């Protein structure tokens, strides 16, 4: 037995079984439909097929937009000398932490846009930080020598071309992630359709089965989307691996590009792009805190203050419940993610891509489809306490967002020199100790961030929360209901309150890593 | 039953279409020293990793101290069950552990705890001249100090076979001379068999044992 417990595969297998236990309920009805072969029967109806293909091209346009904005943002924030580059780099990923519905509110308030195109634009801006984030990670490891030789041979133009080549694999993956987050989103198209010209998207078609109380049909309807998303993710991973090139380097990082007299123009462009993805919609919501008709009493400031007070008073309990459920989900991720991340990090090529796609399955389903799978699984005689309670919510959230923690950690684990692990292996350290000592402890901040992201994504999750009875009294659902009911100061204040709380883990992580850098 | 420290035969190692080691054989008596030389890409590191059980091979049988460790290329003994230690080219130190903890971790993994482990660790630290660095982490060590720590960690468990993967590859001439002086001192105090891989014939000669070149025999041209 002691020898068995030293084996990585025993611990990883156990963690994988637990993770499977978390997701098999919600995913079971979908996967059953795929294996039975009736996943595509609904697509035979012309109306459903039309909605499906509309979702596909809408998501493709959103993903294209995300890449068009995200890639330059990454290069400008991370590899050029623009004004406030550090702040720019810090703020860029924050959009990902916000509920997309909040961004929809901001953009609609700012421009008055609604309908299908507003949905495409909003989702594109929401997910632009995905290619930006992945591209910035790729650019950060471009060897200094490669960058400098490009500068010497061909000036800034060649250096820029080299950066684009370096970032290309990451952008391909970022674009595919933007596609699958866009195609599975229900709340933004639903909101934009409610405001303007009506149009349907595929997650809406899935949600319609919830209205009919036919959860099994809803889960079955989501099945084609999970297959499409799995394929897109696999292709994104394949493109990343295919285009990635091992560049030998001394480990010295490349310097930021100096644009000389053109620096103000590039700085303006960089901050404008961040304006599109974060500052403008968020600024609009701040403005809405105290906006009112001409006859309204008080000043903007006094009304804003009242709105904030109302958000605290009326939303405090929902926010508390959201965070307590999400924190428990984060705790589950904290325990399971290192084992699964190590499993992923130690694989390469096709096996790694397949494992990643399998791991990502819970994220590849629209939230409404995952929720209906959970209901179909848990809404049964004798289970009502579990079905109505928060235990189901925690397990469902943990299962759905565990892949985020696993991917983040796996990426960090891959950067650990192999010899550190092999030294521990040769010396005979037990597997949990090896994992802790070689991988987790040196990446402590990433480990906590991974769990923090699970908390954030669980709090911002709306599509699932609408469906699960135990999650109905949550911040996301209160915000959704309030927004659909009115566009007053309370909605703005409550949205901002959620935003600030969701930003906290990222801010704490940034502060921690900055302090640690100073220590060194 | 063989009483050789290492008895390897019929080793085939391939990466994709490229064959790195073909029908390679090697024997090493207890306490014997062997320097393996060869240009980059000749399979020196691969050979050490196979011996340490860190990677399988396409074919080959390996006995370590009379125990079957690999058969038909499949590793049968876990790396920690082989009574050997490997000093990695990039040392493989753990960034969050102090120098002393590196040694204690190695000893605890062998079942040695408490004052016995502390005593042995301190003894090793003193022997390698790094007792004053005991509470430092790798980031605060110089290259030479880090090298001593890696050697101390490998030797503290009294391995019967010590594998050294180009331990002085990235050093300048002076540091290399210092490194070799240290190695001489370390090897004088151990009765372990030693396999040193290097691309430098001078280092191979200095080890003072048998020499084998992967550029010619038992390897693809």
């Amino acid at each position: 037995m002691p020898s068995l417990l030293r084996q990585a595969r025993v611990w990883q297998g156990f963690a994988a079984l637990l993770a499977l236990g978390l997701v098999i309920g919600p995913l079971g009805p979908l996967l059953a439909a795929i294996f039975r072969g009736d996943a595509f029967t609904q697509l035979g109806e012309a109306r459903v097929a039309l909605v499906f293909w509309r979702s596909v091209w809408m998501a493709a346009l959103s993903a294209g937009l995300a890449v068009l904005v995200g890639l330059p943002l990454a290069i400008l924030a991370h590899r050029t000398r623009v004004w406030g580059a550090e702040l720019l780099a810090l703020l860029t990923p924050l959009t990902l932490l916000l509920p997309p519905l909040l961004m929809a509110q901001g953009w609609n308030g700012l421009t008055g846009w609604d309908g299908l195109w507003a949905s495409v634009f909003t989702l594109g801006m929401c997910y632009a930080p995905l290619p930006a984030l992945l591209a910035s990670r790729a650019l950060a490891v471009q060897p200094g020598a490669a960058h400098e030789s490009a500068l010497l041979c061909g000036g800034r133009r060649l250096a820029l071309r080299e950066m684009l080549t370096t970032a290309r694999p990451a952008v391909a993956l970022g674009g595919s992630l933007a596609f699958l987050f866009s195609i599975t989103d229900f709340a933004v198209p639903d909101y934009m359709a409610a405001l303007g010209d009506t149009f349907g998207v595929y997650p809406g078609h899935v949600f319609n089965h919830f209205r009919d109380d036919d959860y099994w049909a809803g889960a079955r309807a989501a099945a084609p989307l999970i297959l499409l998303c799995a394929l897109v993710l696999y292709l994104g991973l394949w493109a990343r691996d295919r285009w990635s090139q091992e560049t030998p380097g001394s480990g010295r990082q490349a310097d930021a590009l100096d644009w000389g007299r053109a620096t103000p123009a590039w700085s303006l462009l960089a901050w404008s792009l961040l304006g599109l993805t974060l500052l403008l919609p968020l600024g609009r919501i701040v403005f809405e805190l105290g906006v009112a008709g001409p006859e309204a009493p008080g000043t903007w400031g006094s009304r804003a203050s009242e709105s904030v007070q109302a958000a605290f008073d009326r939303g405090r309990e929902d926010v508390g419940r959201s965070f307590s459920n999400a924190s428990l989900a984060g705790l589950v991720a904290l325990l399971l993610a290192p084992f699964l991340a190590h499993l992923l990090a130690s694989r390469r090529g096709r096996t790694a891509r397949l494992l990643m796609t399998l791991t990502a399955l819970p994220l590849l389903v629209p939230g409404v489809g995952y929720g209906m799978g959970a209901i179909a699984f848990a809404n049964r005689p004798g289970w009502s306490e579990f079905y109505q309670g928060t235990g189901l919510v925690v397990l469902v959230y943990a299962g759905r967002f565990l892949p985020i923690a696993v991917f983040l950690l796996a990426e960090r684990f891959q950067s650990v020199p192999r010899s550190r692990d092999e030294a521990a292996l040769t010396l005979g350290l037990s597997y949990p100790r090896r994992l802790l000592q070689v991988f987790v402890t040196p990446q402590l901040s990433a480990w906590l961030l991974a769990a923090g992201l699970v908390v954030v994504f669980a709090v911002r999750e709306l599509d699932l929360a609408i469906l699960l009875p135990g999650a109905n009294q949550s911040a996301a659902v209160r915000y959704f209901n309030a927004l659909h009911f009115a566009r007053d100061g309370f909605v703005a204040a409550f949205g901002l309150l959620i935003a600030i709380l969701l930003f906290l883990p990222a801010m704490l992580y940034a502060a921690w890593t900055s302090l640690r850098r100073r220590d060194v | 039953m063989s009483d050789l420290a290492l008895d390897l035969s019929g080793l085939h190692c391939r990466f994709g279409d490229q064959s790195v080691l073909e029908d390679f054989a090697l024997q090493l008596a207890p306490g014997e020293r062997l320097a393996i030389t060869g240009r980059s890409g000749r399979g020196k590191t691969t050979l050490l990793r196979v011996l340490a059980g860190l990677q399988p091979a396409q074919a080959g049988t390996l006995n370590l101290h009379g125990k079957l460790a690999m058969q038909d290329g499949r590793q049968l003994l876990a790396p920690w069950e082989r009574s050997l230690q490997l000093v990695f080219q990039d040392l493989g130190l753990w960034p969050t552990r102090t120098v002393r903890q590196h040694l204690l971790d190695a000893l605890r993994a062998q079942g040695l705890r408490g004052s016995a482990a502390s005593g042995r660790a301190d003894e090793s630290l003193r022997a390698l001249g790094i007792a004053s660095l005991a509470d430092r982490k790798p980031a605060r060590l110089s290259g030479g100090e880090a090298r001593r720590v890696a050697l101390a960690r490998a030797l503290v468990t009294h391995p019967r076979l010590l594998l050294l993967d180009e331990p002085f590859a990235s050093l300048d001439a002076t540091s290399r001379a210092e490194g070799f002086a240290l190695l001489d001192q370390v090897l004088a105090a151990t009765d372990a068999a030693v396999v040193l891989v290097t691309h430098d014939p001078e280092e191979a000669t200095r080890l003072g044992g048998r020499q084998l070149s992967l550029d010619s025999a038992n390897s693809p041209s």
Side-chain angles (χ1 to χ4, degrees):
Chain A
M1 188 59 123
S3 165
L4 258 185
L5 292 180
R6 277 172 184 263
Q7 306 277 343
R9 68 185 67 173
V10 172
W11 290 87
Q12 289 171 345
F14 185 58
L17 272 179
L18 287 177
L20 187 68
L22 287 176
V23 301
I24 195 68
L27 283 183
L30 279 86
L31 297 177
I34 293 171
F35 288 121
R36 274 201 312 268
D38 58 357
F40 293 95
T41 46
Q42 294 189 29
L43 281 181
E45 292 174 38
R47 184 187 57 82
V48 179
L50 180 76
V51 169
F52 182 80
W53 290 113
R54 180 188 294 137
S55 288
V56 171
W57 66 254
M58 279 177 69
L61 285 178
S62 293
L65 206 54
V67 167
L68 276 179
V69 173
L71 177 59
L73 192 52
I75 291 177
L76 288 167
H78 292 267
R79 291 295 304 282
T80 48
R81 292 212 179 123
V82 292
W83 296 336
E86 265 191 48
L87 185 62
L88 203 61
L90 180 72
L91 295 177
T92 299
L94 291 187
T95 313
L96 290 174
L97 308 180
L98 296 173
L101 190 57
L102 192 73
M103 304 299 283
Q105 180 197 348
W107 275 111
N108 175 260
L110 203 61
T111 61
W113 296 342
D114 53 33
L116 187 149
W117 295 107
S119 177
V120 168
F121 177 79
T122 304
L123 288 172
M125 293 306 108
C126 282
Y127 294 117
L130 275 171
L133 202 60
L134 295 178
S136 65
R137 303 277 306 173
L139 289 168
V141 295
Q142 185 190 22
H147 173 69
E148 282 158 11
S149 59
L151 263 181
L152 284 171
C153 296
R156 290 190 191 113
R157 182 180 284 222
L158 186 60
L160 206 54
R161 201 194 69 187
E162 280 306 301
M163 283 189 210
L164 289 173
T165 313
T166 306
R168 189 173 60 162
V171 168
L173 181 59
S176 65
L177 290 176
F179 174 86
L180 51 94
F181 276 109
S182 299
I183 201 169
T184 52
D185 195 282
F186 165 70
V188 170
D190 176 66
Y191 178 61
M192 289 299 189
L195 290 175
D197 292 338
T198 304
F199 64 95
V201 289
Y202 201 76
H205 164 66
V206 176
F207 185 70
N208 287 338
H209 292 283
F210 176 71
R211 293 193 174 116
D212 303 338
D213 287 340
D214 193 350
Y215 310 122
W216 283 91
R220 198 164 57 235
L225 219 46
I226 198 172
L227 285 178
L228 175 71
C229 290
L231 180 68
V232 169
L233 177 64
Y234 186 86
L235 288 175
L237 291 167
W238 176 84
R240 182 197 63 177
D241 295 347
R242 178 88 176 80
W243 291 338
S244 286
Q245 286 176 3
E246 288 284 328
T247 322
S250 61
R252 190 169 49 82
Q253 286 184 340
D255 279 339
L257 204 53
D258 188 354
W259 286 96
R261 282 158 60 184
T263 299
W266 289 109
S267 301
L268 188 66
L269 175 64
W271 284 96
S272 302
L273 291 175
L274 187 73
L276 288 174
T277 61
L278 183 71
L279 300 180
L280 285 172
L282 219 51
R284 168 67 200 192
I285 293 173
V286 173
F287 172 70
E288 285 185 10
L289 281 176
V291 76
E295 304 297 320
T299 60
W300 181 90
S302 64
R303 287 193 298 266
S305 161
E306 281 169 21
S307 301
V308 172
Q309 189 59 49
F312 272 110
D313 293 344
R314 285 157 57 189
R316 194 169 44 213
E317 286 183 11
D318 288 332
V319 169
R321 264 190 294 273
S322 280
F323 270 89
S324 91
N325 287 342
S327 300
L328 289 171
L331 192 65
V332 174
L334 202 65
L335 297 174
L336 287 183
F339 295 97
L340 300 173
H342 189 218
L343 176 68
L344 278 189
S346 57
R347 299 294 187 278
R348 294 286 181 276
R350 190 184 300 161
T351 315
R353 290 195 292 273
L354 283 171
L355 268 180
M356 284 186 85
T357 309
L358 275 178
T359 309
L361 282 182
L363 277 179
L364 305 181
V365 193
V368 285
Y370 197 80
M372 266 188 277
I375 294 172
F377 170 74
N379 187 14
R380 56 181 73 200
W383 285 34
S384 76
E385 205 171 316
F386 173 64
Y387 172 64
Q388 308 269 350
T390 54
L392 176 67
V393 178
V394 170
L395 294 178
V396 167
Y397 283 171
R400 181 159 166 86
F401 300 117
L402 179 63
I404 294 173
V406 172
F407 292 156
L408 188 138
L409 274 183
E411 196 240 346
R412 298 299 167 92
F413 286 0
Q414 269 173 349
S415 66
V416 173
R418 193 170 59 172
S419 59
R420 285 185 198 160
D421 187 29
E422 290 177 342
L425 188 68
T426 318
L427 286 163
L429 268 64
S430 67
Y431 178 67
R433 186 160 189 89
R434 255 171 66 207
L435 185 64
L436 197 69
Q437 185 162 315
V438 178
F439 294 97
V440 176
T441 317
Q443 309 282 346
L444 191 61
S445 51
W447 187 38
L448 296 176
L449 177 70
L453 282 180
V454 171
V455 175
V456 163
F457 275 81
V459 169
R460 87 196 255 285
E461 175 63 45
L462 170 65
D463 299 355
L464 255 176
I466 295 172
L467 305 188
L468 296 177
N472 282 169
Q473 290 184 312
S474 64
V477 175
R478 176 175 276 271
Y479 172 70
F480 172 80
N481 287 335
L483 180 63
H484 278 265
F485 182 70
R487 275 284 288 273
D488 54 15
F490 166 75
V491 176
F494 193 56
L496 282 176
L497 175 67
I498 295 172
I500 290 166
L501 291 172
L502 293 181
F503 285 166
L504 264 181
M507 291 301 170
L508 288 173
Y509 173 75
W512 177 335
T513 44
S514 158
L515 278 176
R516 281 176 65 135
R517 257 201 305 269
R518 260 176 233 168
D519 278 352
V520 171
Chain B
M1 188 64 79
S2 159
D3 59 355
L4 290 170
L6 182 169
D7 185 0
L8 174 69
S9 60
L11 178 67
H12 285 266
C13 282
R14 232 183 353 259
F15 293 108
D17 294 339
Q18 197 187 354
S19 189
V20 181
L21 293 162
E22 269 180 30
D23 198 19
F24 185 84
L26 181 66
Q27 279 83 37
L28 200 66
E32 189 182 356
R33 294 178 188 186
L34 170 70
I36 299 178
T37 55
R39 294 194 300 272
S40 298
R42 288 292 167 153
K44 300 188 296 295
T45 298
T46 303
L47 173 63
L48 291 192
R49 290 172 52 75
V50 169
L51 293 178
L54 293 170
Q55 73 175 62
Q58 273 68 41
T61 302
L62 171 67
N63 280 282
L64 290 168
H65 318 289
K67 269 189 185 168
L68 187 61
M70 180 176 77
Q71 192 167 36
D72 300 330
R74 201 162 61 89
Q75 298 287 7
L76 303 177
L77 282 184
W80 59 85
E81 293 168 338
R82 298 181 172 225
S83 303
L84 58 76
Q85 285 305 325
L86 171 58
V87 177
F88 294 85
Q89 195 171 341
D90 65 356
L91 307 181
L93 297 182
W94 306 311
T96 59
R97 309 298 281 172
T98 64
V99 168
R100 168 193 276 270
Q101 283 169 336
H102 273 84
L103 273 61
L104 288 176
D105 287 341
L107 290 167
R108 282 185 193 131
Q110 306 271 318
L112 207 62
R113 284 164 200 281
S115 57
S118 296
R120 174 104 74 95
D122 289 342
E123 190 185 312
S124 268
L125 291 172
R126 274 195 302 275
L128 281 145
I130 45 175
S132 60
L133 310 174
D135 296 324
R136 287 202 197 166
K137 290 185 179 171
R140 297 189 56 213
L141 299 174
S142 70
E145 289 165 348
R147 212 159 289 279
R148 283 170 187 262
V149 176
L151 273 169
R153 180 179 64 181
L155 290 165
V156 74
T157 58
H158 297 169
R160 296 163 75 186
L161 175 60
L162 181 63
L163 309 174
L164 303 164
D165 187 5
E166 306 213 31
F168 313 120
S170 55
L171 300 183
D172 59 49
T174 314
S175 309
R176 189 175 295 200
E178 283 173 9
F180 241 105
L182 169 69
L183 191 60
D184 285 342
Q185 173 199 335
V186 162
L187 294 182
T190 175
D191 55 359
V194 177
V195 179
L196 166 77
V197 306
T198 175
H199 59 267
D200 183 353
E202 203 179 313
E203 275 180 17
T205 310
R206 183 146 184 196
L207 185 70
R210 193 150 56 94
Q211 289 189 31
L212 174 69
S213 168
L214 286 188
D215 289 333
S216 48
N218 289 322
S219 68
S221 56

